[in-house]
Amino acid sequence: MVIRRDRYLNKLISKKENGFIKVITGIRRCGKSFLLFKLYHEYLNEIGISDDNIIELALDEIANARYRNPMELDAFIREQVADKSQKYYVFIDEIQMVSQIKNPYVDDETAAIGFVDVLLGLMKLQHVDLYVTGSNSRMLSSDILTEFKDRGDEIRVNPLTYSEFYAAFEGEKRHAWQEYYTYGGMPLVLSKKTHEEKSKYLKDLFSKTYLTDVLEHNRILNEQMVLEDLMNMISSSVGSLTNPTKLANTFQSVKQLAINPNTISKYLDFFIDAFILCKAVRYDIKGKRYMETPLKYYFTDVGLRNARLNFRQQEENHIMENVIFNELRVREYDVDVGVVEYHRQDENGKKMRVQLEVDFVANKGSGRYYIQSALSAGSEEKRMQEINSLLRVADSFKKIVIVKDDIIPWHDDNGILYIGIEQFLLEENAIDI
């Protein structure tokens, strides 16, 4: 099955021959290697570039084990691109498998050579266009571009969006949304036929791959169960406001385990660095300032979230909110949780401050959208409840309510747009109706 990833393919095309190392990052098993070795390779062929000028090396194959030595890797690639009259496109998959070795030319015991040194050297060859992927925690790191001394150009690949999933889904399309919000968008999920197969794949992926990466990369010893419990807590509270102190209190009350909130915060950052979680901070819309705590955490893939909980807590409203957040991020919006403050008098005439939440404040350039996620806004009472915060936002940026139902988009008297979730996800320009 060929799943088109045109968004990322077009990014690679736009960065072709730009003089930088193209670093393809993202959560493991989201399709980075397929993007490079299949889709981008085919594109290069289509524009007339011969296979002889495309050098591919998969370091996870045992036949290529010798090239996990950086000196051997450097020598091999340079031999392949020896003809300087030709333009070469070099693809190296699983670059993190290259070991660090002692520099054989200096006496300093601490001097080491690794894949970064190899890539920085190859990048200087004017007739070489260089692309790398990596799929463990050493590459799935937020500081990857720093490792390349600002010579790397990152392409962040995400799990399948709903539109990509929908296009590849082989069942009845009316079942696509339920499948997606249950099992998520990891590409291999589409090849699994039963719930048992999908569940096992996602659970194994989390415990045997992602969790192992986080433990190894951050050299965490004897804390696996703590990280497992932390992930379960975040899974249960997705879409809800929380903070490290609140989570530490939960550990104390539920697990009878004392953990410093700073440790909780550090562990959460580890999962963010591995692209498993994203966080959304709160933004005071009227005060135009950020509020550091509490905040929200969302999963990069909702199927992984559901698998953490054995598919027990299937609250479609929270899952839908997570999907919208991911979609906005893929569309390259900066996404915050909005807060609108106002004052009112209680029944005793005492003045009190009230905070209302706008699910998402999505910014791109000079544009902004205020977005509410709602399973339904069918009754007038429910609709007014959902838009209460939007009505208190005084500026003229577009305000949107996304509902689960398949509806014809419409605007109310306040100019607020109501649109169904599938149309929002399948039609990128639908919110500009």
Side-chain angles (χ1 to χ4, degrees):
M1 177 189 296
V2 176
I3 302 175
R4 300 301 306 174
R5 309 301 302 273
D6 290 341
R7 183 185 302 273
Y8 307 112
L9 178 60
N10 290 334
K11 285 185 178 183
L12 280 175
I13 293 169
S14 72
K15 297 176 188 298
K16 176 176 171 286
E17 299 178 19
N18 67 356
F20 286 81
I21 306 164
K22 270 65 71 175
V23 185
I24 303 173
T25 65
I27 191 170
R28 290 189 71 171
R29 304 292 187 267
C30 69
K32 301 183 296 296
S33 301
F34 183 81
L35 168 67
L36 183 59
F37 281 69
K38 174 69 173 175
L39 300 179
Y40 190 57
H41 187 129
E42 288 182 350
Y43 164 77
L44 293 179
N45 288 158
E46 288 169 1
I47 62 172
I49 295 169
S50 166
D51 283 346
D52 294 337
N53 294 82
I54 303 174
I55 312 302
E56 297 182 338
L57 185 64
L59 291 173
D60 59 339
E61 296 180 4
I62 192 66
N64 297 323
R66 66 181 293 184
Y67 304 120
R68 297 173 194 171
N69 179 310
M71 304 295 286
E72 294 281 352
L73 175 63
D74 187 70
F76 173 75
I77 297 296
R78 288 178 184 273
E79 179 183 355
Q80 299 297 308
V81 301
D83 185 353
K84 294 186 178 180
S85 68
Q86 297 287 319
K87 185 73 177 182
Y88 292 97
Y89 302 83
V90 175
F91 302 169
I92 306 176
D93 197 28
E94 308 288 7
I95 189 65
Q96 82 290 335
M97 297 191 76
V98 176
S99 300
Q100 279 204 330
I101 65 171
K102 182 184 179 300
N103 189 328
Y105 304 108
V106 298
D107 294 331
D108 186 353
E109 290 293 329
T110 64
I113 296 174
F115 71 80
V116 173
D117 304 284
V118 174
L119 297 180
L120 288 176
L122 293 175
M123 190 195 71
K124 295 177 182 178
L125 302 178
Q126 297 296 311
H127 65 300
V128 171
D129 196 20
L130 189 57
Y131 303 77
V132 300
T133 77
S135 60
N136 79 359
S137 55
R138 196 167 171 204
M139 288 295 292
L140 299 182
S141 170
S142 61
D143 61 1
I144 185 61
L145 298 188
T146 302
E147 285 207 50
F148 288 111
K149 307 182 191 304
D150 297 322
R151 304 293 180 86
D153 203 342
E154 184 183 24
I155 296 93
R156 178 76 60 85
V157 179
N158 298 277
L160 301 177
T161 63
Y162 181 64
S163 62
E164 292 169 329
F165 180 92
Y166 187 88
F169 185 64
E170 295 180 342
E172 292 187 40
K173 296 298 187 183
R174 62 191 176 91
H175 297 313
W177 168 244
Q178 184 176 11
E179 284 282 317
Y180 186 75
Y181 83 69
T182 302
Y183 301 112
M186 302 305 291
L188 278 179
V189 165
L190 282 164
S191 67
K192 310 298 180 183
K193 301 304 181 184
T194 67
H195 169 77
E196 290 73 21
E197 289 176 345
K198 295 173 185 179
S199 174
K200 184 178 186 305
Y201 172 70
L202 291 169
K203 290 177 183 178
D204 286 351
L205 195 56
F206 202 106
S207 62
K208 296 179 181 179
T209 302
Y210 302 145
L211 191 61
T212 299
D213 275 349
V214 169
L215 291 167
E216 290 179 354
H217 176 59
N218 299 290
R219 300 177 182 178
I220 302 172
L221 302 175
N222 306 317
E223 294 290 329
Q224 179 168 341
M225 288 308 301
V226 172
L227 267 66
E228 296 255 16
D229 288 337
L230 179 59
M231 277 293 92
N232 291 339
M233 291 177 189
I234 294 296
S235 300
S236 295
S237 63
V238 71
S240 300
L241 292 170
T242 190
N243 58 39
T245 299
K246 183 178 179 180
L247 291 166
N249 291 338
T250 301
F251 269 102
Q252 182 67 64
S253 61
V254 176
K255 300 291 182 179
Q256 287 75 55
L257 185 62
I259 301 180
N260 190 296
N262 291 332
T263 301
I264 297 289
S265 180
K266 180 176 66 175
Y267 287 169
L268 288 169
D269 285 342
F270 291 160
F271 284 109
I272 291 170
D273 282 346
F275 306 148
I276 297 166
L277 295 178
C278 292
K279 68 180 178 181
V281 298
R282 293 200 302 163
Y283 178 72
D284 180 350
I285 295 171
K286 290 185 177 181
K288 297 183 179 180
R289 62 184 179 88
Y290 282 99
M291 307 164 75
E292 292 185 3
T293 186
L295 66 161
K296 291 187 178 186
Y297 291 93
Y298 295 101
F299 274 78
T300 301
D301 181 76
V302 294
L304 293 171
R305 177 265 178 192
N306 295 337
R308 286 302 306 169
L309 300 174
N310 291 317
F311 299 91
R312 289 191 305 266
Q313 298 180 26
Q314 292 293 96
E315 309 96 334
E316 193 172 354
N317 56 331
H318 294 311
I319 297 173
M320 191 172 105
E321 185 178 322
N322 199 144
V323 170
I324 293 170
F325 175 81
N326 289 343
E327 181 69 24
L328 291 169
R329 297 265 297 185
V330 168
R331 295 179 187 182
E332 300 185 343
Y333 287 94
D334 296 317
V335 188
D336 303 312
V337 176
V339 177
V340 182
E341 291 189 350
Y342 73 101
H343 292 86
R344 68 176 179 84
Q345 290 185 338
D346 64 15
E347 56 189 20
N348 298 317
K350 184 178 179 181
K351 192 175 184 181
M352 59 183 298
R353 186 178 66 174
V354 178
Q355 289 187 342
L356 298 176
E357 183 177 297
V358 176
D359 286 335
F360 301 118
V361 182
N363 296 285
K364 185 193 293 185
S366 60
R368 172 178 290 183
Y369 298 89
Y370 299 106
I371 298 174
Q372 290 290 92
S373 171
L375 275 183
S376 174
S379 70
E380 186 65 12
E381 180 182 0
K382 176 64 175 174
R383 188 178 72 84
M384 294 307 297
Q385 179 183 340
E386 293 292 346
I387 68 173
N388 191 17
S389 59
L390 297 179
L391 294 176
R392 296 182 182 277
V393 178
D395 63 45
S396 59
F397 289 113
K398 194 153 192 175
K399 301 170 181 66
I400 302 163
V401 177
I402 301 174
V403 299
K404 173 191 171 183
D405 303 319
D406 182 16
I407 63 171
I408 297 174
W410 64 283
H411 293 83
D412 67 15
D413 292 340
N414 300 294
I416 297 172
L417 170 67
Y418 298 78
I419 188 170
I421 181 66
E422 289 196 76
Q423 184 172 359
F424 166 75
L425 295 172
L426 293 173
E427 301 174 21
E428 196 155 329
N429 297 322
I431 57 176
D432 293 315
I433 295 173

